[in-house]
Amino acid sequence: MNDAYDIIVVGAGIVGVSTALHLQQRGRRVLLLDKQEPGRETSFGNSGNIESSYVLPFTPPAFSKIPGILLGNSASARMSYPSGLKFIPWVCDFYLKSRTETRIKNGHALRPLIAPSVEEHKKLMQGTDAAKYFHTTGRVKIHRSQASFQSAALERDVAREEGVPFEVLGVEAFREREPHIRPVFYKAVCWTGSARLSDPGAVVVLYAGKFTAAGGTFKADPVKAVAKAAGGWHVQCAGQGYAANDVVVCAGPWSPTLLKPLGYNPPLGLKRGYHRHFTAAEGKLSHNITDADAGYVMSPMEQGIRIATGAEFASLDAPANDVQISQVLPHARELFPLGEAVEKQSWMGSRPCFTDSLPAIGMVKGQKGLWVNIGHGHSGLTIGPSSGRLIAEMMTGDKPFCDPTPYSPMRFV
Ligand SMILES: Cc1cc2nc3c(=O)[nH]c(=O)nc-3n(C[C@H](O)[C@H](O)[C@H](O)COP(=O)(O)OP(=O)(O)OC[C@H]3O[C@@H](n4cnc5c(N)ncnc54)[C@H](O)[C@@H]3O)c2cc1C
């Protein structure tokens, strides 16, 4: 019945575009839909880390920071009122799942997607100009005190066990690599296997271009509803309707809106984040630097030096409040000689997160042909290409390159 397309992919962020490319490479006729041009949302504004060295899920701030989160004076996380209050049960579950044993277990479960992330990006880059945005000077975490360095010992212990490379450098040794960083820190942990993209949004656009150049169809048309139809699925857009045998929802933080009417309500939390670019008043920066104590990431991007914030608990449509940018800026200026802001306003996006920090990849039970690839949290830019490969292998009957069980979309029900 579906003459034009075998599969419809909804959402053209890094996850949807990677999914569409991998399905196409396996001979499927794919329609990729987005409400706008590819790579304009969360996949545009992140810190650009391809964190192949990530061994433990992101943790919530220490309990002692909870008053600051609630009162809005903690830069690393902030509760927005009133819309963030609905996330309190989600946040409690996130704290529960951040106990050491569970964290190690979930970190281990995520490794099969994380470990090949640099290589999976390189494969998608072939035949595109994306390599010009790819840099091997990846993630560095700076600690401003010995206590802060000690508090992250678990991450380094697990990395050693897993054979993930890193170097611990003192102030002067790191300043040989980054001469314009000021000596306001105690140690720099360089995750030498990680990489970075200096324009993640542009890279998604180039991946989408590779898909259309190879005969794939992309349409910018907002999806209004997904429904079962005879022999497959019907996707109703604002402009027109499309039919296919299978549908994959990759709509990032918007996914529950499309899935709830189909009886699948994934418990997706949102951690909004902001970024703003600044000129370098002096010198340049070559690595992405996470300031572990001040709660921001500083990344050299094509547009300037991007300062990106931690989490804001707020609904998708709550008004933007970039106070976290103002809170971290003095710390960022102390670390690196930032100049003027490039834009008048900060960018805002939403990380789509499950409390176990694992994505949901697979078919929705009882809904043959309805697939999801969602919930990539803090690591979607990193694992988008590998999760796109995994779901394409599952959908086409190829042997999955890793065990998809930990990512089952049905683990919540
Ligand atoms: C401040 C910040 C920093 C981050 N830093 C990093 C980092 O350094 N490294 C890393 O790996 N990850 C990072 N992340 C996380 C990463 O950006 C996300 O996990 C990833 O972009 C999610 O990709 P996605 O494709 O699922 O979502 P999105 O990029 O949001 O894509 C979803 C798409 O669905 C479309 N859509 C939604 N609804 C509809 C509809 N009804 N019809 C049609 N289309 C629709 C949207 O337009 C959008 O294009 C960061 C996130 C933030 C906010």
Side-chain angles (χ1 to χ4, degrees):
M1 72 153 238
N2 303 314
D3 288 340
Y5 308 112
D6 300 314
I7 300 169
I8 297 174
V9 176
V10 178
I14 184 64
V15 175
V17 169
S18 302
T19 302
L21 267 169
H22 277 288
L23 286 165
Q24 181 187 56
Q25 286 167 3
R26 286 162 182 78
R28 300 303 189 271
R29 295 164 308 162
V30 181
L31 169 63
L32 175 62
L33 294 170
D34 201 292
K35 57 185 177 183
Q36 56 195 324
E37 292 303 311
R40 303 310 302 158
E41 293 288 352
T42 328
S43 301
F44 168 84
N46 52 66
S47 296
N49 287 308
I50 305 178
E51 298 164 334
S52 58
S53 53
Y54 190 70
V55 287
L56 287 176
F58 211 83
T59 33
F63 285 121
S64 59
K65 296 221 166 133
I66 290 179
I69 297 172
L70 297 175
L71 295 170
N73 50 29
S74 154
S76 56
R78 173 178 175 272
M79 179 61 71
S80 165
Y81 298 97
S83 81
L85 292 172
K86 71 175 178 202
F87 293 111
I88 284 182
W90 187 97
V91 173
C92 294
D93 195 41
F94 184 41
Y95 270 96
L96 276 177
K97 297 224 166 71
S98 299
R99 286 174 302 189
T100 303
E101 264 177 38
T102 316
R103 227 180 131 211
I104 292 175
K105 181 173 141 264
N106 289 334
H108 199 70
L110 196 57
R111 276 306 290 166
L113 296 177
I114 293 270
S117 54
V118 170
E119 289 313 311
E120 291 298 332
H121 265 282
K122 281 187 181 167
K123 284 190 223 162
L124 294 193
M125 280 177 194
Q126 281 167 19
T128 77
D129 284 340
K132 70 181 178 198
Y133 300 120
F134 176 83
H135 310 269
T136 51
T137 45
R139 182 168 67 108
V140 176
K141 199 191 246 188
I142 60 144
H143 294 277
R144 290 186 180 235
S145 66
Q146 188 172 12
S148 159
F149 180 68
Q150 287 307 337
S151 73
L154 180 67
E155 185 184 25
R156 298 190 296 276
D157 290 346
V158 176
R160 269 185 216 102
E161 273 168 34
E162 304 244 354
V164 173
F166 66 91
E167 290 175 293
V168 177
L169 299 184
V171 174
E172 288 317 317
F174 185 53
R175 289 182 78 215
E176 279 173 25
R177 296 184 193 177
E178 283 288 8
H180 298 279
I181 285 286
R182 294 187 178 122
V184 293
F185 59 97
Y186 169 70
K187 293 281 183 208
V189 183
C190 305
W191 295 93
T192 47
S194 69
R196 67 182 171 89
L197 297 177
S198 55
D199 193 339
V203 170
V204 177
V205 171
L206 290 167
Y207 291 174
K210 177 172 173 172
F211 166 75
T212 50
T217 309
F218 169 76
K219 287 184 193 287
D221 198 353
V223 172
K224 297 293 175 194
V226 177
K228 247 185 188 146
W233 290 87
H234 179 84
V235 176
Q236 186 58 47
C237 289
Q240 67 179 99
Y242 304 93
N245 300 323
D246 295 80
V247 175
V248 197
V249 174
C250 306
W254 294 270
S255 301
T257 318
L258 297 172
L259 293 164
K260 261 190 238 171
L262 298 164
Y264 176 61
N265 189 7
L268 199 63
L270 301 179
K271 291 189 199 169
R272 296 205 315 192
Y274 297 81
H275 85 223
R276 204 158 174 199
H277 298 105
F278 293 83
T279 58
E282 184 196 326
K284 71 177 190 101
L285 190 67
S286 310
H287 297 81
N288 281 2
I289 300 192
T290 301
D291 188 336
D293 305 289
Y296 67 92
V297 179
M298 183 187 279
S299 313
M301 293 282 178
E302 301 300 315
Q303 301 89 337
I305 295 184
R306 181 175 290 183
I307 305 293
T309 64
E312 179 195 32
F313 296 103
S315 61
L316 273 172
D317 53 1
N321 179 348
D322 68 354
V323 64
Q324 284 160 292
I325 292 273
S326 321
Q327 287 167 337
V328 301
L329 209 47
H331 302 287
R333 289 193 184 283
E334 188 183 41
L335 186 65
F336 183 84
L338 293 173
E340 297 301 309
V342 173
E343 305 93 357
K344 285 206 171 68
Q345 278 186 323
S346 302
W347 169 90
M348 184 190 77
S350 294
R351 303 169 183 93
C353 302
F354 291 115
T355 52
D356 58 8
S357 302
L358 301 173
I361 306 172
M363 200 197 285
V364 177
K365 197 173 167 194
Q367 301 276 21
K368 190 170 176 294
L370 175 66
W371 301 78
V372 295
N373 194 359
I374 59 175
H376 294 60
H378 289 258
S379 313
L381 181 71
T382 303
I383 62 174
S386 32
S387 77
R389 173 177 163 192
L390 180 62
I391 198 165
E393 288 170 346
M394 293 165 79
M395 291 179 74
T396 57
D398 281 359
K399 187 176 178 326
F401 76 90
C402 68
D403 177 9
T405 313
Y407 323 124
S408 167
M410 307 320 291
R411 66 185 187 275
F412 317 108
V413 292

